[in-house]
Amino acid sequence: MTESAGPASVALISHSDCGRHDTGWEHPEHVGRLRAIPRALRERQALFESLQHIEGRHATVDEIALAHDRAYIARVHDLVQAGGGRLDPDTVVSEGSWDAATAGAGCVLDGVDMAFDGRAVRSFSAVRPPGHHALRDRAMGFCLFGNVAIAAHYAIAHHRCERVLIIDWDVHHGNGTQALVEHEPRIHFVSMHQWPWYPGTGAADDRGPHDNVWNVPMPPSLPPAQYRDALLKAIDDATDGFTPDLVLLSAGFDCLEGDPLGAFTLTLDDVHQLTRDLVERAERWCGGRLVSALEGGYAPDAVAQAVMVHVEALL
């Protein structure tokens, strides 16, 4: 994508290198997830013209090291340089995965920069590989680097944020994000996720060492309103006496009804309403600054339609 002129306050950020992470078409997290998004956007001309289209940058090693051990970063780089391989039973890398992963993180960092310099108060980064399972020193669950967690630490380090709120509505617990931010009391983390389900973490009584984690484990197949209400209550609890300077969203669309890797029941209308609820809160808290990034979602056409609804609601 190239940058377009115009006063739009919402950016759609991506990078062509995100398509170079080759997991194979049999892997749930394949490149078709991203390709479906511009295909859907071509059918929505008015929406296309309402957005800023930004090709993001690559994150540097120093930026990734805000959240990850340098030895682990080097291990990912070296395996990619050697032609690829498997980092865990679910997580593979190919010869293009380093460029994809650094671009994925860099796009979200661009979203943070744009939110603070006024170019785009809100953004959605259409990136892969996802990030919310990646731990400080190892890959996990399709994820190499914790894009959103890196962005939270970056906002504190480079934009002097006093308080950052991370919300994760992916159907799986954001165990990596929690591990990467729970020792920083300036970050509050809310995760709603199916329970019991992969990766088996995220119990409600797991509040982190600084009581800055709100886990919302939910059973499958409930009416959608129960998921919406539970998430919003946790968000309101997490911001009681804590007004964020920035809201980061791990937007995993495997929370949608019918996703092959989850059993939540949310619809496109629910995605729209939840996004509007977050926008309204962000406008009260921090001038509307909301930076969203793709996590899971494994039915590509459904993901693409959810992205359309999500970015429309960000506007």
Side-chain angles (χ1 to χ4, degrees):
M1 295 182 183
T2 57
E3 185 169 352
S4 65
S9 63
V10 174
L12 178 61
I13 309 173
S14 192
H15 197 293
S16 58
D17 280 347
C18 289
R20 298 185 57 219
H21 177 55
D22 183 5
T23 58
W25 287 103
E26 299 302 315
H27 194 284
E29 202 291 288
H30 58 68
V31 69
R33 301 174 64 239
L34 279 194
R35 291 180 181 174
I37 294 170
R39 190 165 63 238
L41 192 56
R42 284 198 295 270
E43 305 299 319
R44 302 285 301 275
Q45 187 66 25
L47 179 59
F48 181 93
E49 294 174 356
S50 297
L51 299 166
Q52 293 188 55
H53 297 272
I54 304 294
E55 180 157 4
R57 62 177 177 88
H58 290 268
T60 67
V61 168
D62 286 345
E63 288 166 341
I64 296 168
L66 291 168
H68 292 283
D69 288 348
R70 288 182 183 272
Y72 166 66
I73 299 168
R75 188 160 70 249
V76 173
H77 179 268
D78 291 347
L79 185 58
V80 170
Q81 289 295 103
R86 196 169 291 275
L87 285 163
D88 91 336
D90 297 317
T91 311
V92 299
V93 294
S94 67
E95 59 84 26
S97 295
W98 176 261
D99 289 342
T102 56
C107 285
V108 185
L109 299 186
D110 266 352
V112 173
D113 288 337
M114 295 177 76
F116 281 98
D117 67 25
R119 283 176 293 157
V121 70
R122 289 186 285 280
S123 61
F124 175 75
S125 288
V127 295
R128 59 182 290 273
H132 75 149
H133 295 309
L135 300 170
R136 185 170 300 279
D137 58 357
R138 66 184 175 96
M140 184 176 176
F142 314 159
C143 302
L144 302 183
F145 301 134
N147 303 325
V148 168
I150 294 166
H153 290 290
Y154 177 85
I156 290 170
H158 291 272
H159 293 284
R160 299 182 180 180
C161 271
E162 300 286 340
R163 293 166 296 276
V164 179
L165 174 67
I166 301 175
I167 301 161
D168 187 334
W169 69 35
D170 188 290
V171 77
H172 304 98
H173 177 234
N175 64 299
T177 303
Q178 177 175 331
L180 295 175
V181 306
E182 65 181 358
H183 296 286
E184 173 50 79
R186 290 174 290 184
I187 302 173
H188 283 193
F189 175 60
V190 177
S191 174
M192 180 181 70
H193 43 272
Q194 185 174 327
W195 178 276
W197 206 233
Y198 181 89
T201 53
D205 60 1
D206 180 3
R207 293 293 316 282
H210 297 287
D211 286 333
N212 58 335
V213 173
W214 283 259
N215 280 314
V216 188
M218 299 289 285
S221 306
L222 296 177
Q226 293 191 34
Y227 296 116
R228 290 199 319 267
D229 292 347
L231 179 60
L232 292 173
K233 180 183 185 305
I235 291 168
D236 291 341
D237 289 346
T239 53
D240 184 14
F242 180 93
T243 302
D245 302 311
L246 173 69
V247 180
L248 295 167
L249 174 64
S250 278
F253 294 113
D254 45 9
C255 61
L256 289 171
E257 184 176 25
D259 189 272
L261 296 189
F264 275 5
T265 59
L266 296 175
T267 67
L268 295 180
D269 286 344
D270 297 310
V271 169
H272 183 273
Q273 185 58 55
L274 279 172
T275 305
R276 289 307 309 164
D277 289 335
L278 297 188
V279 168
E280 289 166 6
R281 283 164 171 77
E283 287 175 343
R284 290 203 310 268
W285 294 329
C286 54
R289 287 190 291 268
L290 197 166
V291 175
S292 176
L294 182 64
E295 296 282 2
Y298 303 101
D301 289 339
V303 169
Q305 292 306 314
V307 170
M308 298 304 102
V309 168
H310 181 54
V311 296
E312 191 169 47
L314 290 176
L315 285 162

